[in-house]
Amino acid sequence: MCPPAHFKVTYSINPWMDPAKPVDVPLAVAQWEDLRDRYRALGHTVEVLDPRPALPDMVFAANGATVVDGRVLGARFAYPEREPEAAAHLDWFRAHGYADVHEPAHVNEGEGDFAVTASYLLAGRGFRASPLSHGEAQEFFARPVIGLDLVNPRFYHLDTALAVLDDAADEVMYYPAAFSAGSREVLRRLFPDALIAEEPDAVAFGLNSVSDGRNVLVPQGAVGLFGPLRERGFVPVSMDLSELLKGGGSVKCCTLELR
């Protein structure tokens, strides 16, 4: 699910998010439309979430909920600027026939910090999501939740540090330095064959990618990931979302997967 483009940088906690650099709105809209059209060209259905006044960060639709087997765990945002987005997303799900919708008690920012694999629900914590949201998600989805500690503020959401490449085969790629030592060991044990990203690709938001199990939509700056992805049988698709990056998001941040 993608929202229509509506852009304004509201806060900055990372080096690439410089409020002194204005967003080129026409270019940002064109980049968002290219992402939407690319999904459709690859055979995917795209649902569009209408924007609401004074909620410019709705362009980062991944944060609005987590959907597994048609069950919807809503979001509870860490910052007041985004709190009203939670209701906007749940309104959309209810209006589109999703009956099993849970309004969370604890802070989670949707697929920003929840990643779904065949066997697990990976859950980030440390900067946004509350650790209490992990137990809440496990009870709701009845899936084992693996908590992962993020320790580098550049990688404040799990979806900036890890991407699921094939949820049917538990295949992921991630950047180890984003995680605590214990979490790195957990990832190594669970995913011994994971694709390990290097720092330049991670900083270029290369882990903020979306894969359908074959095609992987990758931010264009993460050039070091293209070769390793091809070697594993994936088709990397370069995406220019440079204007979205100014707001701290890229391909995955703009995409909420409806499972």
Side-chain angles (χ1 to χ4, degrees), residues 172-189:
V172 305
M173 61 180 179
Y174 67 95
Y175 176 53
F179 298 93
S180 68
S183 294
R184 290 196 298 271
E185 180 61 17
V186 168
L187 287 167
R188 188 190 67 79
R189 288 171 178 263

Side-chain angles (χ1 to χ4, degrees), residues 98-212:
Y98 288 80
D100 200 349
V101 176
H102 177 70
E103 297 188 33
H106 304 291
V107 171
N108 84 79
E109 296 196 345
E111 290 188 343
D113 272 322
F114 288 129
V116 181
T117 76
S119 302
Y120 312 106
L121 185 64
L122 305 179
R125 62 192 174 209
F127 295 102
R128 300 285 180 88
S130 164
L132 296 175
S133 69
H134 296 185
E136 186 174 21
Q138 182 166 278
E139 286 301 307
F140 180 65
F141 290 124
R143 284 181 172 233
V145 171
I146 306 297
L148 299 169
D149 289 302
L150 297 164
V151 295
N152 185 329
R154 283 191 170 193
F155 306 97
Y156 51 89
H157 273 152
L158 183 64
D159 71 357
T160 67
L162 180 146
V164 178
L165 293 174
D166 187 345
D167 57 12
D170 278 339
E171 190 167 359
V172 305
M173 61 180 179
Y174 67 95
Y175 176 53
F179 298 93
S180 68
S183 294
R184 290 196 298 271
E185 180 61 17
V186 168
L187 287 167
R188 188 190 67 79
R189 288 171 178 263
L190 294 179
F191 308 105
D193 299 320
L195 193 164
I196 303 301
E198 300 294 336
E199 181 178 12
D201 298 310
V203 171
F205 250 50
L207 284 311
N208 201 247
S209 298
V210 172
S211 174
D212 61 11

Side-chain angles (χ1 to χ4, degrees), residues 2-179:
C2 295
H6 183 194
F7 301 91
K8 179 182 176 183
V9 176
T10 54
Y11 48 83
S12 176
I13 61 170
N14 292 284
W16 53 78
M17 296 164 62
D18 183 356
K21 297 179 180 178
V23 172
D24 182 332
V25 175
L27 178 56
V29 171
Q31 290 176 349
W32 180 87
E33 290 175 343
D34 182 45
L35 176 63
R36 177 201 61 195
D37 294 345
R38 194 67 59 94
Y39 280 132
R40 290 173 173 166
L42 292 171
H44 302 294
T45 299
V46 177
E47 301 284 354
V48 175
L49 177 66
D50 291 332
R52 295 194 180 185
L55 299 180
D57 287 331
M58 280 180 68
V59 70
F60 299 128
N63 302 132
T66 305
V67 185
V68 183
D69 298 329
R71 309 188 76 199
V72 182
L73 174 64
R76 181 176 292 272
F77 286 90
Y79 292 100
E81 294 92 337
R82 300 194 68 180
E83 284 178 2
E85 293 179 44
H89 280 83
L90 292 188
D91 287 348
W92 186 94
F93 283 107
R94 292 182 176 119
H96 286 77
Y98 288 80
D100 200 349
V101 176
H102 177 70
E103 297 188 33
H106 304 291
V107 171
N108 84 79
E109 296 196 345
E111 290 188 343
D113 272 322
F114 288 129
V116 181
T117 76
S119 302
Y120 312 106
L121 185 64
L122 305 179
R125 62 192 174 209
F127 295 102
R128 300 285 180 88
S130 164
L132 296 175
S133 69
H134 296 185
E136 186 174 21
Q138 182 166 278
E139 286 301 307
F140 180 65
F141 290 124
R143 284 181 172 233
V145 171
I146 306 297
L148 299 169
D149 289 302
L150 297 164
V151 295
N152 185 329
R154 283 191 170 193
F155 306 97
Y156 51 89
H157 273 152
L158 183 64
D159 71 357
T160 67
L162 180 146
V164 178
L165 293 174
D166 187 345
D167 57 12
D170 278 339
E171 190 167 359
V172 305
M173 61 180 179
Y174 67 95
Y175 176 53
F179 298 93

